[in-house]
Amino acid sequence: MEKYLSLLSFGDTGWGDELLQGALVTISIAIATLPFGLALGLLVALASRSQSKIVSGLATLYTTVFRGVPELLTLYIIYFGGQILIQKLWTGMGFPGSLSISPFIAGMVALGLVLAAFSSEVWVGALNSIPKGQREGAAALGLTRGQAFRLVVLPQLFRVALPGLGNNWMVLLKETSLVSVITLQDLMFIATRANVATKEPFLFFSAALFIYLIFSVLSAWGIGRMEMHANRGYAR
């Protein structure tokens, strides 16, 4: 037991500092990805409801691709393919040297694209639940379509979509573990490195499991509080 406590301790002899740093990277990339993915998902949802067949077709194609391709493959394509593309553009413009994408940015973009594909379905369901008469009433009051969406639809949209978006967040939190494959030093990366150094896989992967569970429990509590706040004043 003393050996295990020593390995998990903080300081030069333990991995506690590294695990904490990895946990901070994990929650940081999840928080950074969330607004990007949800905002893009809302745009995709609005595009899918467009009267233009081209726009709605592109939205459908987007969701089909990113919901059908494994997240790990998306991450590889964004990280390695994005590096090649940026380097070619950089040299094509005549600039010397080389450019690279940081693992954090690549992970955020890749996970955000996937999150957008899944959250767009939640947004579409929420948009469909809002009665058409409310938009017609806003138009009768002289509001533009943009004003009607911002003042009438959007406040209700978040309340209806919140449970589904909460599920998307929980999935995103777990999918952050994939970024370890592109050398981002998140919780899984640190746990794997500690296992290689100490040959104690059960200890460090159990520690990672415990930290992920803490994140999940706190997230579930926070989402529940947000739902209670969003539903205040509404009849059950």
Side-chain angles (χ1 to χ4, degrees):
M1 180 61 69
E2 291 185 3
K3 173 186 175 182
Y4 295 149
L5 292 177
S6 176
L7 289 173
L8 294 175
S9 65
F10 294 88
D12 296 335
T13 60
W15 288 84
D17 306 82
E18 289 81 358
L19 287 171
L20 179 60
Q21 184 178 0
L24 291 176
V25 171
T26 290
I27 199 66
S28 295
I29 193 170
I31 292 174
T33 301
L34 186 66
F36 166 62
L38 295 187
L40 181 58
L42 179 57
L43 292 177
V44 173
L46 294 173
S48 68
R49 291 163 52 89
S50 173
Q51 297 180 352
S52 170
K53 292 184 178 180
I54 296 177
V55 174
S56 61
L58 290 174
T60 301
L61 177 63
Y62 176 90
T63 55
T64 300
V65 170
F66 284 101
R67 291 179 68 188
V69 174
E71 289 84 350
L72 183 59
L73 181 57
T74 301
L75 184 61
Y76 279 143
I77 291 175
I78 296 298
Y79 183 60
F80 295 109
Q83 302 239 38
I84 295 172
L85 178 61
I86 289 178
Q87 186 59 46
K88 286 186 175 181
L89 291 174
W90 182 256
T91 56
M93 291 186 294
F95 295 109
S98 61
L99 288 179
S100 61
I101 303 177
S102 74
F104 189 95
I105 297 298
M108 187 190 75
V109 172
L111 295 178
L113 292 174
V114 176
L115 174 62
F118 284 93
S119 66
S120 67
E121 299 299 318
V122 177
W123 289 121
V124 168
L127 287 166
N128 291 337
S129 70
I130 297 176
K132 185 179 179 181
Q134 296 197 20
R135 298 181 180 86
E136 294 173 347
L141 292 174
L143 298 180
T144 64
R145 292 183 64 181
Q147 289 174 328
F149 180 80
R150 179 170 56 87
L151 299 175
V152 178
V153 176
L154 192 59
Q156 303 176 72
L157 190 63
F158 181 74
R159 179 184 67 84
V160 177
L162 186 56
L165 298 180
N167 289 335
N168 290 154
W169 162 257
M170 299 294 279
V171 173
L172 170 65
L173 196 58
K174 293 182 290 185
E175 288 180 345
T176 57
S177 61
L178 296 174
V179 299
S180 61
V181 301
I182 56 173
T183 69
L184 183 63
Q185 297 188 17
D186 71 323
L187 181 57
M188 279 302 298
F189 182 93
I190 297 299
T192 302
R193 193 174 71 175
N195 163 50
V196 172
T198 64
K199 302 298 186 293
E200 292 288 349
F202 184 79
L203 174 65
F204 288 104
F205 290 134
S206 295
L209 179 149
F210 181 70
I211 294 172
Y212 278 114
L213 282 178
I214 291 176
F215 287 157
S216 296
V217 169
L218 291 177
S219 296
W221 177 82
I223 292 168
R225 298 291 296 179
M226 291 174 66
E227 290 182 10
M228 290 177 58
H229 182 75
N231 288 314
R232 68 193 189 283
Y234 285 87
R236 295 288 181 180

